[in-house]
Amino acid sequence: MDCECLDMLPTVFRVLANPKQLISDDTCLEKLLDWLRDVVQKDAAVLDVSGMPFLKEFFTDVLKLEEPSPGILSFTMRLAGLLSISRTGFQNLQREEILSCLFGESGVSRRLLWDDASVRSGWIQGMHSMIQHQEAVQFFEDSRGVEVTLQLQSDTSMFVVSAATHLLAHIIHSVLQWPLCRPAKSSSCRLSSTADVCPNIDECDWPSCVQKIIALVEASLNSDVSSEVCHSVRILTLVFSQCQTTVAVRLWPKVSGPVGALLRRCPSFVAQPLADLFLTLSRCFAFCSLDSEIWAMLSFALHSFTPPLASTLALGIGKLPECPLSTKLDAYNVVLHPMDYVLRASSQRMQETGLLDETVCDPAAVEKLLINRSSCIAFLCQALGHIKDLSDTLPSCPTQFPCSLLVQSVLSVLQFCSDEILPPCVTAATLCQNLIGCVKIQRSSLDTLGSLSKWGAHCQWENVLNVLLGYLKNPESDPVVLQKSFQATCLWLISLCSHREELWPRIHHFLSNDLFPVLKKRIFDLRWEVRDSAVEFLIGISAAFQEKKDLRTLLFTSGIVDLLMDLLEDPESYVRASTAMALGHLVGITGYLENLPDLENRFTSVEENIVPQLLNILSDDSEGFPRRAVVKVFTSWLKNHHMWKGMERNIAQVLHGGGHDPDWEVKVNTLNLAETLVQQTLNGSCCIFATKHSGILKPENVWNSLQELYETKLFEILFHTLFDCDRPVAQKSCSILILLKKATVEFCTEMNSEPDKHMLSREMMQDRISSRCGYCMGSADNANLQTLENVIDVLMALNLEVLQCELEQSSDYVVNSPRSLLHDILATALTSSEEIDVDCY
């Protein structure tokens, strides 16, 4: 602990105990407790009543008050619990009878202030912190803590109820993992049944308070009172969530019977807490044996829960890394049941083969949900979302899983929404009536369809692309639906080509004859969201297939590039930004146009028009998004060694414009460009400079590289942004300057052994530091940077390493420091104790 903070603590605690100096801001007390908790966790002996008399005085003064502030009393109890974490601290507080006065049977819980929820919460949290050893457990028992905590489980404040539940779970978990007794088997054993537990487990010498809590949990599980049952299930969920094998071995045999009985009668109010409990148990190492009774309970729950709740439970089971195959198949069955219903409804006869041969959930319950419009939409959205979440875990082999049928069921949902299916039966007509025009279902279906693209090679992919094309053509499609249609189309096209290269001619035909005509129309849609989605789709397709000669030809001959040039003046900034990125990417792949001289010559003129327009956006656009995109484009070109006429001059323009931009993200992106330029220049791979070298930092190479960077005005931008008010900008600039300084130091070291006219002596640098101090304070005008030697002077004078350490700290590190916090508490108390007359006018 800081010495200054330690000196301030007595004054702070005197202020806190003074009822005339109220702390109006409770967050100060919370921050003070957080800081003291960190101190105690590092070394509990630092804060001790016996060695710090002011702590004893604080507790005594607060307890003497007839009506202390509820906030201060809550703080006092939480602080006492914090100081009792260690046995020594507990004993010292108990010796002074502080704990008995605060937490004892005749303590705070019997005072009128107990009616305040913050006081009750402070009592619980203090006890929670304290119970880290057996003496604290005994104190909890002697103070009738069990009875008080159980009463608080019915509190009017949900925060108090939650804290009480966590306290009971903490006591059970803490005590059962202590070596009070050991089971006959090793604690690393896995439970397959209750018979695996040592026969004398009931004879373990548990504290009576723990036995009482567990007995009450058992009794509550058999109760008909919903609140009691739910509280007990949540306590067990919290205990088992710690995944301690010792605790599981000792506790589960005591509660497995009541839990099983509760599952069999399964009242609706406890279904969700039970599902959470079973999922928690399934993740516990002690129950991961495949013959554990937990899996039988999970399967029973899947059969007995309502379809929506069973689907939520099935999602959790499907994500488990270890699970019996039969249980996992039951989980998949539950998730897919709604899609099976849709697939059968879309066929000519409901009896035709669907996704499932038999069902886990009650078919009548599923049908009841799907014939009502509101429940149908909610249930299908849930099912589609769960399929998307499980898409990575579902078997990829078509012989193991009906992937083609699942894709077809999702397509059927989309066709019902767009009224493209002639209902073959009454069931289909009801589904169509419920789903037609439902944007929510369309969004979920398209997301799910995109996640299933990994099965593209095993499905009737032509149907998928035709349905997606229909949505893209539909003039009434919602903008978000169109966006997701573009995204799903891109995913399916990429997946098809990656798995079956021979499909490329057919895909190219689909792109040129079907998709690109639609894309051209969508690029000039009246809704900016659609225009933006169309441009983003173009970026994705061109990036995925940039090595395909046919696609490059299609892109550069279809007129899309000319349309994009017009979009650079779009009224919406997002569209301008996406268009700049798209054109930048198209320019970047011109390197693949070898052996296509006519196409390359045609695009050269386009390129000559793109660069000036991008520079105009950087200098004139009023929105930040397009300017950021422009800088990213130039950075991408530089990284990929794309060259164009006037490249060095353009890079210097971007550095100057972006470095002085009012938007901090533009400046950070500009510094990313600068970093790329520096790295490539120092290793000799930069494409904008004529000088090339092997990357070995010889003196002449370093000097030439620094000279080239100097000529681009790079150093002016770096020094300008080094003291920027936005910390990320200054951090980036500092890291680049450190890289340059390192190269400069190596250069100077080499030149000490081999004198050169460019070498500056240490004395010369020291003489020039004083003339650069004005610049170091952030004023560029005071620095003479007319030669590279001047720049090196400034670079060597700056203590960049110290500055970097300062910049790595958060911007509010001074305000949030313990010293500042203590000053704030004193200032707040001083202000509140003064009577200040304020003129409201």
Side-chain angles (χ1 to χ4, degrees):
M1 183 186 295
D2 188 285
C3 293
E4 184 178 348
C5 293
L6 190 59
D7 293 338
M8 293 174 66
L9 279 179
T11 307
V12 169
F13 277 97
R14 278 196 297 271
V15 166
L16 294 178
N18 188 345
K20 296 181 180 180
Q21 293 181 305
L22 297 177
I23 304 298
S24 58
D25 186 5
D26 289 342
T27 58
C28 289
L29 300 179
E30 295 293 333
K31 292 178 181 179
L32 180 58
L33 273 174
D34 290 340
W35 171 56
L36 294 176
R37 184 177 293 107
D38 292 339
V39 172
V40 170
Q41 287 175 348
K42 292 177 182 177
D43 186 2
V46 173
L47 290 175
D48 191 359
V49 176
S50 61
M52 295 182 171
F54 65 86
L55 288 175
K56 177 184 174 182
E57 293 174 7
F58 168 74
F59 288 119
T60 304
D61 292 343
V62 171
L63 289 171
K64 286 180 180 178
L65 297 175
E66 293 184 4
E67 292 186 7
S69 163
I72 292 297
L73 185 56
S74 176
F75 169 83
T76 304
M77 290 188 287
R78 293 163 67 186
L79 177 63
L82 192 61
L83 299 180
S84 303
I85 287 178
S86 66
R87 281 187 172 86
T88 303
F90 175 85
Q91 292 166 357
N92 290 333
L93 285 174
Q94 186 70 330
R95 189 180 303 114
E96 302 293 340
E97 297 185 352
I98 293 173
L99 295 180
S100 299
C101 293
L102 287 172
F103 301 99
E105 189 173 352
S106 60
V108 173
S109 62
R110 295 293 180 268
R111 300 174 67 170
L112 293 177
L113 283 171
W114 188 252
D115 293 338
D116 192 288
S118 65
V119 175
R120 302 194 297 275
S121 179
W123 185 92
I124 295 174
Q125 294 179 53
M127 279 292 193
H128 195 289
S129 300
M130 184 193 309
I131 298 177
Q132 306 293 335
H133 42 81
Q134 297 180 22
E135 294 181 27
V137 173
Q138 187 61 48
F139 172 76
F140 179 78
E141 181 178 349
D142 296 340
S143 305
R144 295 181 55 83
V146 176
E147 289 75 6
V148 175
T149 308
L150 290 175
Q151 290 177 1
L152 293 176
Q153 281 207 298
S154 303
D155 199 89
T156 55
S157 169
M158 64 177 183
F159 298 104
V160 173
V161 172
S162 177
T165 303
H166 279 78
L167 174 59
L168 293 173
H170 170 69
I171 294 172
I172 295 174
H173 182 267
S174 299
V175 172
L176 293 190
Q177 67 177 332
W178 292 339
L180 298 173
C181 70
R182 291 293 183 185
K185 290 181 176 288
S186 168
S187 63
S188 62
C189 67
R190 297 184 180 185
L191 285 175
S192 60
S193 68
T194 56
D196 287 337
V197 185
C198 60
N200 62 341
I201 190 71
D202 291 331
E203 300 173 6
C204 293
D205 188 19
W206 296 346
S208 60
C209 69
V210 175
Q211 296 181 27
K212 188 182 297 185
I213 294 171
I214 295 176
L216 288 169
V217 167
E218 292 182 67
S220 298
L221 291 174
N222 295 316
S223 171
D224 293 328
V225 181
S226 61
S227 59
E228 293 182 3
V229 179
C230 291
H231 288 326
S232 295
V233 173
R234 290 192 181 103
I235 289 173
L236 293 178
T237 303
L238 289 169
V239 173
F240 287 112
S241 65
Q242 305 297 323
C243 293
Q244 292 286 345
T245 303
T246 304
V247 176
V249 169
R250 292 174 172 176
L251 181 59
W252 179 246
K254 302 282 290 181
V255 299
S256 59
V259 169
L262 178 63
L263 175 62
R264 285 189 291 274
R265 68 178 202 272
C266 195
S268 58
F269 61 79
V270 80
Q272 182 62 62
L274 265 182
D276 296 336
L277 172 61
F278 286 131
L279 282 177
T280 301
L281 290 170
S282 65
R283 299 186 187 105
C284 186
F285 177 77
F287 304 110
C288 63
S289 174
L290 298 184
D291 62 344
S292 172
E293 62 180 340
I294 296 298
W295 305 116
M297 288 187 174
L298 279 170
S299 293
F300 185 85
L302 290 173
H303 283 79
S304 57
F305 285 174
T306 61
L309 183 57
S311 183
T312 301
L313 179 60
L315 174 65
I317 295 172
K319 291 181 177 181
L320 292 175
E322 293 187 33
C323 177
L325 180 61
S326 59
T327 306
K328 185 155 284 193
L329 290 178
D330 283 348
Y332 290 155
N333 186 299
V334 170
V335 172
L336 298 177
H337 195 156
M339 307 310 297
D340 174 78
Y341 185 90
V342 170
L343 187 61
R344 293 178 188 273
S346 63
S347 61
Q348 293 299 318
R349 294 183 302 276
M350 283 288 288
Q351 293 76 19
E352 289 187 9
T353 303
L355 271 169
L356 309 174
D357 295 330
E358 57 184 24
T359 59
V360 171
C361 290
D362 181 10
V366 172
E367 183 175 12
K368 183 179 179 179
L369 288 168
L370 292 176
I371 60 176
N372 178 273
R373 178 174 171 81
S374 58
S375 61
C376 174
I377 293 173
F379 190 33
L380 272 181
C381 280
Q382 181 194 50
L384 290 164
H386 289 173
I387 292 171
K388 178 178 178 291
D389 293 339
L390 291 175
S391 59
D392 292 334
T393 66
L394 293 172
S396 299
C397 179
T399 59
Q400 298 176 350
F401 190 82
C403 51
S404 179
L405 290 175
L406 178 56
V407 171
Q408 183 56 46
S409 69
V410 178
L411 291 179
S412 297
V413 173
L414 287 169
Q415 290 172 319
F416 276 127
C417 291
S418 59
D419 198 19
E420 294 180 10
I421 290 182
L422 183 63
C425 59
V426 176
T427 304
T430 304
L431 271 178
C432 187
Q433 183 179 358
N434 290 339
L435 299 180
I436 188 168
C438 181
V439 174
K440 188 175 182 180
I441 290 289
Q442 290 172 344
R443 295 175 183 178
S444 298
S445 300
L446 290 166
D447 282 337
T448 304
L449 187 62
S451 68
L452 301 180
S453 60
K454 66 174 184 177
W455 293 333
H458 307 300
C459 303
Q460 295 180 347
W461 56 270
E462 296 96 336
N463 292 343
V464 175
L465 295 182
N466 287 334
V467 170
L468 291 172
L469 184 64
Y471 268 84
L472 292 173
K473 286 181 176 180
N474 188 352
E476 298 180 357
S477 290
D478 180 81
V480 178
V481 171
L482 283 170
Q483 178 194 36
K484 294 184 179 297
S485 299
F486 275 123
Q487 291 171 349
T489 304
C490 187
L491 289 171
W492 272 83
L493 292 175
I494 294 172
S495 176
L496 287 170
C497 283
S498 62
H499 289 93
R500 296 177 62 181
E501 184 68 26
E502 70 275 9
L503 292 179
W504 170 247
R506 297 168 66 182
I507 291 175
H508 177 266
H509 181 270
F510 170 77
L511 288 171
S512 59
N513 291 3
D514 298 320
L515 190 56
F516 269 41
V518 178
L519 184 63
K520 288 182 182 179
K521 293 180 180 179
R522 291 302 184 188
I523 282 179
F524 283 98
D525 195 283
L526 293 178
R527 297 161 294 183
W528 73 265
E529 300 95 335
V530 179
R531 300 196 298 274
D532 190 58
S533 299
V535 176
E536 288 181 347
F537 169 79
L538 188 60
I539 295 174
I541 287 295
S542 59
F545 302 118
Q546 62 183 7
E547 297 184 5
K548 299 288 186 183
K549 176 181 175 182
D550 295 343
L551 182 67
R552 296 198 304 271
T553 304
L554 178 62
L555 286 170
F556 299 139
T557 58
S558 61
I560 283 183
V561 174
D562 297 331
L563 299 179
L564 291 177
M565 294 290 287
D566 293 336
L567 278 186
L568 284 176
E569 299 178 359
D570 193 273
E572 177 54 49
S573 62
Y574 290 105
V575 179
R576 298 197 298 275
S578 298
T579 304
M581 294 295 293
L583 285 169
H585 182 74
L586 292 177
V587 169
I589 66 174
T590 54
Y592 293 99
L593 297 179
E594 61 276 4
N595 303 321
L596 298 171
D598 294 338
L599 195 58
E600 187 174 10
N601 293 335
R602 176 178 177 177
F603 198 71
T604 300
S605 61
V606 177
E607 180 184 40
E608 292 174 352
N609 293 328
I610 289 175
V611 174
Q613 287 213 40
L614 294 180
L615 293 174
N616 287 338
I617 290 176
L618 180 61
S619 60
D620 300 334
D621 202 296
S622 59
E623 299 289 338
F625 294 108
R627 302 200 303 273
R628 296 171 201 166
V630 167
V631 179
K632 289 178 181 178
V633 166
F634 282 95
T635 305
S636 175
W637 288 349
L638 189 61
K639 285 183 177 179
N640 296 317
H641 302 284
H642 176 74
M643 300 182 66
W644 69 94
K645 186 177 180 181
M647 184 177 183
E648 183 175 354
R649 183 183 68 258
N650 295 150
I651 291 292
Q653 289 176 281
V654 174
L655 288 173
H656 183 270
H660 291 84
D661 196 278
D663 185 282
W664 72 269
E665 291 191 57
V666 175
K667 286 184 279 193
V668 169
N669 288 324
T670 302
L671 291 172
N672 288 333
L673 171 65
E675 185 177 42
T676 302
L677 182 63
V678 169
Q679 291 172 344
Q680 290 186 354
T681 303
L682 292 178
N683 64 30
S685 63
C686 186
C687 58
I688 72 171
F689 298 131
T691 305
K692 301 287 182 181
H693 57 79
S694 62
I696 301 175
L697 291 178
K698 296 180 180 179
E700 59 272 17
N701 292 341
V702 175
W703 181 260
N704 291 335
S705 298
L706 293 174
Q707 187 66 45
E708 290 168 336
L709 293 172
Y710 172 78
E711 291 172 359
T712 63
K713 307 296 183 183
L714 174 75
F715 290 98
E716 292 184 13
I717 300 303
L718 293 177
F719 289 138
H720 171 75
T721 54
L722 182 61
F723 301 97
D724 195 272
C725 58
D726 291 300
R727 188 163 58 97
V729 178
Q731 276 183 299
K732 193 68 179 179
S733 177
C734 187
S735 64
I736 299 172
L737 285 170
I738 287 176
L739 176 64
L740 288 166
K741 185 175 181 179
K742 180 180 177 182
T744 304
V745 169
E746 293 176 358
F747 162 70
C748 293
T749 302
E750 290 287 338
M751 294 307 294
N752 278 332
S753 57
E754 297 181 17
D756 186 89
K757 64 179 181 179
H758 298 299
M759 178 58 193
L760 297 173
S761 67
R762 186 175 300 274
E763 292 75 18
M764 293 174 62
M765 290 184 182
Q766 291 174 344
D767 290 339
R768 297 185 185 185
I769 287 177
S770 58
S771 63
R772 310 296 181 248
C773 288
Y775 191 83
C776 295
M777 296 301 293
S779 174
D781 298 332
N782 294 336
N784 182 10
L785 301 177
Q786 296 184 0
T787 66
L788 181 57
E789 289 87 345
N790 300 144
V791 171
I792 292 179
D793 282 355
V794 175
L795 190 61
M796 301 302 290
L798 289 172
N799 195 342
L800 296 171
E801 291 73 16
V802 172
L803 181 59
Q804 186 181 44
C805 293
E806 294 177 357
L807 291 171
E808 286 175 354
Q809 298 179 4
S810 62
S811 56
D812 60 349
Y813 74 98
V814 174
V815 177
N816 285 336
S817 65
R819 187 184 304 110
S820 175
L821 172 63
L822 299 178
H823 281 298
D824 287 345
I825 293 175
L826 295 176
T828 302
L830 179 63
T831 302
S832 63
S833 64
E834 296 176 352
E835 294 183 1
I836 303 176
D837 294 328
V838 179
D839 185 352
C840 61
Y841 296 102

